């Protein structure tokens, strides 16, 4: 819950968080806020347990009530930058962005500026008062497509809730290696890779992750698919498709070395070799408007590089067919 000029929330500690540190339990219950922000609220008394101030290291128990009542304040220290944004829709609560491939969403080590957040702080300065500058979900640097940014506290709380209850609909277009025979559902937990810390993987101890996919177009040795997410784990589609042995074309982390099937023409080989990002595009987004309750949907077209990739794959099929006659 929140109001226009307060950040509020009330949570009851569930069994799985009993006997955990207060700051750890708070981070699980309020993932939209950074850990440092939650710790500062605990220390200031804005976040209480059963109406009492506690220390971040104190343990919480089953059915304890955590209550948050904090003043909005600048929650980011990043700088505004004049970076062009492709704004699909906007109102006082929402910004719908068509993110290009290559644009990092959040400033981080190695990407201190030139990010979507820097652009947002310039375009909509009010997002500096929101957790993570209004970002409620991310797209990987080299994934293109539609994403929503909260512009108000009401919107931020609503969107986080929709993500947690899986009522926000997200559909992606992808092009994978190999010819698939039909659509299916991948239900496999995702967590940090046990050895390579920059990668995610399907692991028994991971968080639940479900990806539905269906075929759009099949080529000689590749397949164009549409994916719908039930969950939103880091790198989810990329990890799941690699897990079923159909990695995304161009995926630098999960795709392995470039595989060229028999009959690949020089023309197609050059296109595949030059496609140096994962062939993944967030094509459609559906959500409930945080103020009106109206169900809204936005779709953005495939970017030029993916259109060119698909055109090359179609041409290759025609070339193979003509060679048979």
């Amino acid at each position: 819950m929140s109001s226009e000029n307060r950040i509020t929330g009330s949570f009851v500690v569930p069994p799985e968080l009993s006997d955990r540190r207060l700051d750890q339990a708070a981070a699980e219950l309020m993932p939209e806020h950074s850990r440092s922000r939650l710790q500062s609220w605990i220390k200031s008394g804005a976040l209480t347990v059963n109406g009492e101030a506690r220390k971040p290291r104190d343990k919480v128990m089953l059915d304890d009530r955590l209550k948050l009542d904090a003043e909005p304040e600048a929650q980011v220290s990043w700088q505004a930058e004049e970076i062009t944004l492709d704004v699909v829709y906007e109102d006082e609560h929402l910004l719908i962005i068509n993110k290009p491939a290559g644009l990092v969403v959040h400033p981080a080590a190695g990407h201190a500026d030139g990010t979507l957040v820097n652009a947002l702080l310039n375009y909509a300065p009010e997002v500096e008062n929101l957790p993570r500058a209004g970002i409620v979900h991310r797209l990987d640097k080299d994934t293109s497509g539609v994403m929503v940014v909260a512009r108000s506290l009401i919107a931020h709380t609503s969107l986080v809730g929709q993500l947690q209850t899986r009522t926000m609909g997200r559909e992606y277009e992808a092009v994978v290696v190999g010819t698939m025979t039909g659509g299916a559902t991948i239900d496999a937990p995702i967590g940090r890779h046990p050895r390579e810390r920059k990668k995610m993987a399907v692991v028994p101890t991971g968080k639940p992750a479900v990806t539905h996919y269906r075929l759009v177009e099949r080529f000689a040795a590749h397949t164009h698919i549409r994916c719908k997410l039930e969950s939103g784990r880091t790198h989810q589609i990329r990890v799941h498709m690699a897990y079923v042995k159909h990695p995304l074309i161009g995926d630098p982390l999960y795709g392995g070395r470039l595989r060229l099937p028999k009959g690949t023409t020089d023309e197609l080989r050059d296109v595949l070799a030059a496609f140096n990002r994962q062939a993944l595009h967030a094509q459609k987004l559906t959500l409930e408007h945080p103020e009106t309750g109206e169900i809204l949907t936005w779709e953005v077209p495939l970017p030029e590089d993916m259109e060119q990739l698909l055109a090359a794959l179609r041409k290759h099929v025609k070339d193979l067919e003509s060679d048979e006659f």
Side-chain angles (χ1 to χ4, degrees):
M1 297 175 291
S2 72
S3 63
E4 280 295 347
N5 54 7
R6 305 291 293 177
I7 302 174
T8 63
S10 182
F11 304 88
V12 175
V13 175
E16 62 269 23
L17 295 180
S18 181
D19 207 35
R20 294 276 294 276
R21 285 172 45 143
L22 171 56
D23 55 354
Q24 293 173 339
E28 290 285 338
L29 293 168
M30 292 174 271
E32 68 272 24
H33 300 297
S34 69
R35 286 181 180 251
S36 60
R37 180 65 53 188
L38 288 167
Q39 288 187 338
S40 73
W41 283 336
I42 293 169
K43 292 172 182 176
S44 70
L47 179 56
T48 59
V49 181
N50 301 327
E52 298 177 354
R54 300 277 182 89
K55 295 178 181 177
R57 297 177 65 88
D58 289 349
K59 298 288 182 71
V60 294
M61 305 305 292
L62 178 65
D63 293 336
D64 278 350
R65 181 171 291 278
L66 275 58
K67 192 170 183 179
L68 172 65
D69 186 1
E71 285 275 2
E73 57 186 281
Q75 300 213 11
V76 296
S77 58
W78 304 303
Q79 298 300 308
E81 291 182 59
E82 194 166 339
I83 299 169
T84 301
L85 289 175
D86 183 358
V87 178
V88 178
Y89 170 88
E90 64 177 305
D91 62 25
E92 62 180 312
H93 296 292
L94 300 175
L95 268 175
I96 307 298
I97 307 291
N98 184 11
K99 187 188 90 68
L103 180 64
V104 174
V105 170
H106 252 292
H111 296 284
D113 49 30
T115 71
L116 176 59
V117 164
N118 299 114
L120 289 170
L121 289 168
N122 176 70
Y123 188 88
E126 66 272 19
V127 301
E128 76 167 0
N129 294 321
L130 301 176
R132 302 187 193 281
I135 300 293
V136 294
H137 70 121
R138 301 189 192 194
L139 294 178
D140 297 335
K141 173 191 172 187
D142 288 324
T143 297
S144 57
V146 64
M147 62 181 292
V148 61
V149 178
R151 210 169 179 171
S152 68
L153 277 171
I154 288 173
H156 190 273
T157 303
S158 172
L159 295 172
V160 169
Q162 291 180 55
L163 283 164
Q164 290 175 342
T165 58
R166 301 179 180 178
T167 55
M168 186 183 294
R170 290 166 293 161
E171 295 186 22
Y172 294 73
E173 305 266 327
V175 190
V176 302
V177 175
T179 49
M180 307 182 84
T181 55
T185 293
I186 304 170
D187 185 351
I190 291 176
R192 188 68 59 184
H193 193 287
R195 294 179 303 280
E196 301 176 62
R197 301 307 294 169
K198 288 186 177 181
K199 295 176 70 172
M200 307 300 286
V202 171
V203 290
T205 56
K207 293 183 178 179
V210 177
T211 303
H212 307 282
Y213 67 89
R214 61 182 177 84
L215 271 55
V216 178
E217 192 172 1
R218 195 159 40 210
F219 306 104
H222 301 86
T223 309
H224 178 193
I225 60 174
R226 179 169 288 186
C227 302
K228 191 169 185 178
L229 298 183
E230 274 194 31
S231 46
R233 307 304 173 204
T234 301
H235 300 171
Q236 179 170 322
I237 293 173
R238 300 166 64 187
V239 171
H240 271 173
M241 299 320 298
Y243 177 67
V244 296
K245 305 295 190 260
H246 290 286
L248 273 57
I249 286 178
D251 193 328
L253 266 185
Y254 306 101
R257 62 182 179 80
L258 180 62
R259 287 179 278 173
L260 298 173
K262 283 185 179 179
T264 300
T265 60
D266 290 345
E267 183 180 0
L268 180 59
R269 183 192 64 225
D270 291 345
V271 170
L272 291 172
F275 199 92
N276 56 5
R277 71 164 179 112
Q278 61 269 9
L280 183 62
H281 175 70
Q283 188 260 344
K284 184 177 179 181
L285 176 69
T286 300
L287 56 82
E288 179 183 307
H289 191 279
E291 184 177 49
T292 67
E294 183 182 0
I295 302 300
L296 301 173
T297 297
W298 296 271
E299 294 191 45
V300 294
L302 285 172
E304 186 177 354
D305 63 345
M306 282 186 67
E307 289 283 16
Q308 291 174 346
L309 174 65
L310 291 169
L313 292 170
R314 290 187 194 108
K315 184 177 185 302
H316 179 239
V317 171
K318 288 183 179 179
D319 290 344
L320 291 177
E321 289 172 348
S322 64
D323 287 345
E324 293 176 2
F325 296 99

